[in-house]
Amino acid sequence: MARSLAEQTEAELGGAHSVLALQKRDHQVMEGLLERIERGSGVAREKALTALCRLVFPHAFAEEAVLWPVLRRALPDGEALTLHVEQEHQQINELFTALETLPPDSTEHRTRFGRIAELLRRDARDEEDVLLPKLQAALSVSELRRVGRVWWVVRHTAPTRPHPTVARRPPGNVLAALPLTGLDRARDRLDQAARRVPPRLAVAYSRTSHALAGVAGAVEHLPPLRRGEDPTTRT
């Protein structure tokens, strides 16, 4: 029986550059951030929540653009396995989008975040206990490292915010990468800078970030960016 990634050392997973080790490492960082958010409040909680978004969305994008296509080619049941995870990813995108409209420390915000945390932990367990051990059995160590290199590049150049309208599969998500990555990362820099400048300038930065959010919302509704997805992803 395949062993969970959680039970394996980095060497058993194929080394530091194997896609399995990279995935597991992100999941460990994610769990630490979830615990900080659940325990925290105020500015500390908001910072941890921002860090979680900057981790979760590029990670999921790299899975959907790089890893799951490999898994679908390598495994006879890859289609069903990846569809289940894509459905979880879609729910997480929708919940995070709704979360942005709520006061950060409100009861409703914490309740909604509790559902997000539940889904993120379930998603990590599904991957580490089922999908990735199956991929490990199907690919050689050199192949796992090659996929890991591509995954790493995409992971560090991907959108950093939720985009629930974009397809969870190529070609839609790949087409979305360039415009949405640029917009998201520009907003990240503006939001970060707004915390360090005088209030009047911070307001200008925030308005610019909000304007870019509107552009991103328009971009993600372009029809080509919705192609390739299984129709049941959003049910």
Side-chain angles (χ1 to χ4, degrees):
M1 184 176 177
R3 293 167 61 207
S4 169
L5 267 60
E7 300 171 356
Q8 299 185 53
T9 66
E10 187 175 88
E12 290 175 312
L13 296 175
H17 301 294
S18 163
V19 70
L20 305 180
L22 295 171
Q23 287 273 127
K24 181 179 177 180
R25 202 174 304 143
D26 267 7
H27 290 164
Q28 291 171 333
V29 175
M30 181 189 77
E31 179 58 34
L33 289 169
L34 288 174
E35 292 175 0
R36 283 172 54 192
I37 295 165
E38 289 167 339
R39 294 194 308 263
S41 62
V43 174
R45 184 172 183 269
E46 288 188 50
K47 286 183 177 179
L49 186 58
T50 298
L52 180 70
C53 291
R54 304 304 174 263
L55 170 73
V56 164
F57 294 111
H59 175 100
F61 187 91
E63 288 179 338
E64 294 165 356
V66 177
L67 192 52
W68 300 158
V70 171
L71 199 144
R72 284 192 286 271
R73 291 193 297 268
L75 301 177
D77 57 348
E79 175 67 31
L81 290 170
T82 57
L83 177 58
H84 174 69
V85 175
E86 288 163 348
Q87 290 168 342
E88 291 180 335
H89 285 186
Q90 179 62 25
Q91 291 181 64
I92 291 165
N93 269 262
E94 292 171 357
L95 285 166
F96 261 113
T97 300
L99 196 73
E100 292 176 343
T101 67
L102 301 174
D105 271 329
S106 65
T107 300
E108 188 177 356
H109 190 287
R110 287 185 176 273
T111 300
R112 186 68 61 93
F113 181 77
R115 175 59 177 154
I116 291 172
E118 177 187 346
L119 281 169
L120 287 171
R121 286 176 170 129
R122 182 196 303 169
D123 182 65
R125 294 282 63 80
D126 287 343
E127 293 172 10
E128 292 196 13
D129 296 347
V130 182
L131 276 77
L132 297 177
K134 287 192 172 189
L135 186 66
Q136 183 179 29
L139 299 185
S140 67
V141 170
S142 62
E143 289 172 323
L144 290 170
R145 291 173 180 168
R146 184 169 64 249
V147 174
R149 286 192 291 271
V150 179
W151 180 96
W152 189 92
V153 170
V154 173
R155 157 79 172 76
H156 287 82
T157 55
T160 59
R161 294 175 185 249
H163 295 289
T165 307
V166 173
R168 307 262 72 86
R169 292 189 180 187
N173 60 357
V174 175
L175 292 171
L178 182 59
L180 292 181
T181 295
L183 290 164
D184 284 0
R185 292 178 183 265
R187 290 186 66 200
D188 292 346
R189 289 191 291 273
L190 285 166
D191 292 349
Q192 188 174 27
R195 301 188 188 101
R196 304 193 304 262
V197 297
R200 184 176 297 178
L201 195 54
V203 169
Y205 284 3
S206 295
R207 286 175 178 169
T208 304
S209 178
H210 184 72
L212 292 178
V215 175
V219 167
E220 71 174 78
H221 280 82
L222 294 173
L225 276 57
R226 306 177 72 173
R227 292 177 184 163
E229 185 170 70
D230 187 294
T232 65
T233 301
R234 298 172 190 273
T235 60

